[in-house]
Amino acid sequence: MSLINTEVKPFKAQAFKNGKFIEVTDADLKGKWSIVFFYPADFTFVCPTELEDLADHYAEFQKLGVEVYSVSTDTHFSHKAWHDTSDAVKKIQYTMIGDPTHAISRNFDVLIESAGIADRGTFVIDPSGKIQIVELNAGGIGRDASELLRKVKAAQYVAAHPNEVCPAKWKEGEKTLAPSLDLVGKI
C-alpha cells in the first residue's frame, strides 16, 4: 500500500542534534515541511556520503522552511559517537534519530526485518503531517540531496498552487501545467 497522502503514524524516539540528546515525536513533523531520511546503519560506507551531502544542502532546505531528520536503527548514542569520529558526519546539524526498537522504520514501511536495518527511504512530509514524496533505493545506491531539494520545491509549489502541476525536470521558476481538457493529447 502506498504511503502517499497518509499521515505520519505516532512515534517517540531519542535523537542526537548539535551535541545534545533530544526527544523527537511525530508532532515535531507537523507545522512545517519535513524530510525523514532513513539509512541502514552508522559506521557504514554509502551512508556517510549521503548524510554529508544532505548536511552540505541543509542550509538550502532550511531556507525553504524544511527540517531534516535522518533515521537509522542505531541508537542515539551511536549517532553521537559516529558524529564525533567521522569527518563527513561531523558536518551534520540536523536531527539524527535513533530507532533501535524499529518502530519508526516499521511505521514508514522501510524495515528489512531479516536484517534489523532500514532501507534507504526518503519521505517528504507536508505541514499537515501527510507524506507527499516517497523514494526507496536499494542498499548500494546512494541518493542525491540536490535532486531531493528540487522535489521539495516542486511539492511546495504544488501545495501552494493546487490547480497546477510540475512537469518532469521542473525547476523553480520554470513553467508549470494547469491540467484541463484543452491539454489532453497536446503534451
Side-chain angles (χ1 to χ4, degrees):
M1 182 176 120
S2 174
L3 294 177
I4 294 291
N5 285 317
T6 64
E7 195 161 328
V8 173
K9 294 178 183 174
F11 71 86
K12 180 168 62 170
Q14 294 298 307
F16 177 74
K17 182 175 183 172
N18 294 329
K20 296 179 182 173
F21 293 130
I22 61 171
E23 184 177 270
V24 178
T25 71
D26 55 295
D28 293 307
L29 305 181
K30 293 187 178 170
K32 63 184 171 300
W33 287 85
S34 301
I35 294 169
V36 179
F37 195 84
F38 288 89
Y39 62 97
D42 293 350
F43 299 102
T44 54
F45 311 103
V46 174
C47 300
T49 67
E50 291 185 309
L51 296 176
E52 179 181 29
D53 185 34
L54 207 51
D56 289 343
H57 288 81
Y58 184 54
E60 295 172 79
F61 285 111
Q62 294 241 283
K63 285 179 192 169
L64 296 174
V66 179
E67 191 50 64
V68 175
Y69 301 88
S70 64
V71 184
S72 79
T73 55
D74 299 290
T75 67
H76 56 295
F77 298 115
S78 182
H79 292 334
K80 182 196 182 309
W82 197 29
H83 190 274
D84 291 349
T85 58
S86 167
D87 288 337
V89 177
K90 203 172 282 187
K91 293 179 176 182
I92 295 173
Q93 295 178 0
Y94 52 80
T95 304
M96 301 178 75
I97 300 174
D99 184 28
T101 66
H102 305 161
I104 305 168
S105 299
R106 280 191 187 98
N107 283 355
F108 283 86
D109 200 23
V110 295
L111 183 66
I112 304 168
E113 291 283 349
S114 62
I117 59 174
D119 271 322
R120 292 189 194 289
T122 309
F123 299 83
V124 176
I125 301 159
D126 71 19
S128 71
K130 290 188 177 176
I131 298 169
Q132 295 301 313
I133 296 173
V134 175
E135 178 183 20
L136 295 174
N137 291 26
I141 303 168
R143 295 160 282 183
D144 182 336
S146 62
E147 173 59 8
L148 179 57
L149 189 62
R150 185 197 70 79
K151 289 179 182 180
V152 167
K153 288 178 181 179
Q156 290 180 332
Y157 186 91
V158 169
H161 303 88
N163 294 322
E164 297 178 45
V165 295
C166 296
K169 299 182 184 181
W170 178 87
K171 290 185 177 58
E172 187 175 29
E174 292 182 350
K175 187 176 178 181
T176 59
L177 299 170
S180 69
L181 188 60
D182 297 343
L183 285 182
V184 175
K186 299 201 169 114
I187 297 175

